Amino acid sequence: MKKILAVSVAAVLSAGLLLSCNGKPAKKANAFPTKGITMICPWGAGGGTDAVLRALCSTAEKYLGQTITVENKTGGAGAIGHAAIKDAKPDGYTVGMITFELNSLPQQGLIDFTYADYDPLIRVNADAATLTVKADAPYNSVAEFVDYCKAHPGEVSIGNSAPGSVWHIGAGLLADKTGIDVKHIPFEGAAGAVTAVAGGHIQAVAVSLAEVKSQLDAGNVKVLGVMDAKRPDAYPNIKTFNEQGFGIEYYTWRGLALPKGVDPAIKAVLVDAFTKAENDPDFIEKAKNLNLNLAYQNPDDYAAFLKSNFEDVTATMKAIGLTD
């Protein structure tokens, strides 16, 4: 009887060890995540990609129960950061934000991989390009800007985020559709280009509204038009290109992805956490304040979008002479 009692007590004590101090079952040793997560951003601090990613990560931390550290790995028109995501250890502890450039760099021979080398998580947002100039520039509409460029061929400089980047292609599309001859000036991220136009070092930028917001609100720049189907809710006085007689719509996009080979169960945890973060009122409010247009897609829809977008971008680049 004593032996039986001793065994019973031992069993109770062992069971007690499986409970945390608050009475809840302890985490299994192999639960994910058990440590902080690294989030790779292929673009510099201060730009639209960095801003939306940090806002999303700060919200997702409460759903994952771990910290998420954003690392900016810049250079090569986004190639360095995208390669770092692709080549990361496939254990779920390194995630990355892939951007439009993933679908424009391969055609130029700047990277030897494509969207197909990643495991998509979710699409986060999509933003239209703007035509933004210095506040005291001598043009106040897209038509006036086009007329000025035609009167000064090859003299007007338009900044973009990098050669072959989304905004370089956007500026190229603008020039092609309007028949203007301009100089394209590359920067490592949109923030530098926007600062340059505000300071009068270049004449224009073709980047998102989110990326010019702070300079716009400060009165340092003005937006001549947005390449969207509708006017921005926060700035209803900004006209679309369509309204001004130029049938141009053009967008960037951003989303999360993993390197190939991550355990499906781990991927499911990440999809769930970041989906909840995307729909969290706190993140929605942050995105609104940043003028970011949320455009969520689940992993399957996102994968299909990446394929179709790659095909569309390839066709556009050929049309404006950025690739053979």
Side-chain angles (χ1 to χ4, degrees):
M1 178 66 71
K2 288 183 178 180
K3 286 185 178 181
I4 294 174
L5 181 60
V7 170
S8 299
V9 170
V12 171
L13 290 174
S14 297
L17 292 176
L18 297 177
L19 298 177
S20 63
C21 60
N22 61 5
K24 294 182 179 179
K27 259 186 182 178
K28 293 180 181 179
N30 62 349
F32 176 87
T34 59
K35 61 180 181 179
I37 289 172
T38 296
M39 179 67 72
I40 296 175
C41 177
W43 301 99
T49 302
D50 179 74
V52 69
L53 185 55
R54 289 181 185 275
L56 182 66
C57 288
S58 66
T59 305
E61 286 179 338
K62 66 183 179 184
Y63 296 109
L64 285 170
Q66 297 288 348
T67 59
I68 303 174
T69 302
V70 176
E71 291 187 0
N72 299 89
K73 293 184 179 292
T74 64
I80 290 176
H82 281 99
I85 300 166
K86 177 183 71 71
D87 297 334
K89 185 177 179 180
D91 58 4
Y93 286 101
T94 300
V95 187
M97 176 159 270
I98 59 176
T99 64
F100 175 98
E101 288 71 26
L102 180 59
N103 279 349
S104 66
L105 294 176
Q107 299 91 327
Q108 303 167 78
L110 298 176
I111 58 176
D112 59 0
F113 52 89
T114 71
Y115 69 91
D117 293 299
Y118 300 80
D119 193 359
L121 286 180
I122 66 169
R123 190 177 72 174
V124 177
N125 81 302
D127 287 305
T130 67
L131 175 59
T132 299
V133 300
K134 199 169 186 290
D136 60 1
Y139 21 75
N140 295 294
S141 68
V142 175
E144 289 180 5
F145 177 81
V146 169
D147 289 342
Y148 184 91
C149 290
K150 289 182 175 179
H152 301 81
E155 296 180 17
V156 175
S157 297
I158 300 183
N160 57 75
S161 46
S165 68
V166 58
W167 302 134
H168 182 200
I169 295 171
L173 182 65
L174 167 66
D176 181 66
K177 294 292 187 182
T178 59
I180 58 176
D181 177 18
V182 296
K183 293 183 291 186
H184 299 284
I185 310 299
F187 291 82
E188 283 295 345
V194 175
T195 299
V197 76
H201 306 294
I202 57 176
Q203 283 70 54
V205 289
V207 301
S208 73
L209 183 59
E211 289 163 320
V212 301
K213 181 185 185 308
S214 61
Q215 295 286 2
L216 178 62
D217 291 345
N220 298 326
V221 299
K222 58 187 175 183
V223 177
L224 303 183
V226 60
M227 300 179 197
D228 204 344
K230 63 182 183 66
R231 297 187 185 191
D233 292 337
Y235 298 89
N237 292 328
I238 296 177
K239 295 180 179 180
T240 67
F241 270 64
N242 291 332
E243 287 181 280
Q244 300 183 64
F246 299 90
I248 303 175
E249 290 184 19
Y250 184 75
Y251 307 82
T252 188
W253 55 263
R254 305 177 182 94
L256 303 183
L258 295 166
K260 287 282 191 179
V262 174
D263 187 309
I266 291 176
K267 176 183 175 180
V269 171
L270 292 169
V271 170
D272 179 68
F274 284 109
T275 297
K276 287 176 178 175
E278 175 104 357
N279 292 309
D280 190 292
D282 180 53
F283 173 67
I284 292 172
E285 183 63 24
K286 289 177 181 176
K288 182 179 179 181
N289 291 337
L290 291 167
N291 282 298
L292 293 168
N293 181 49
L294 299 183
Y296 174 85
Q297 284 183 326
N298 63 38
D300 291 339
D301 290 343
Y302 186 29
F305 165 80
L306 288 172
K307 181 177 184 298
S308 64
N309 181 253
F310 179 79
E311 293 168 353
D312 291 343
V313 169
T314 300
T316 300
M317 291 177 71
K318 286 181 179 179
I320 62 177
L322 285 177
T323 186
D324 295 331

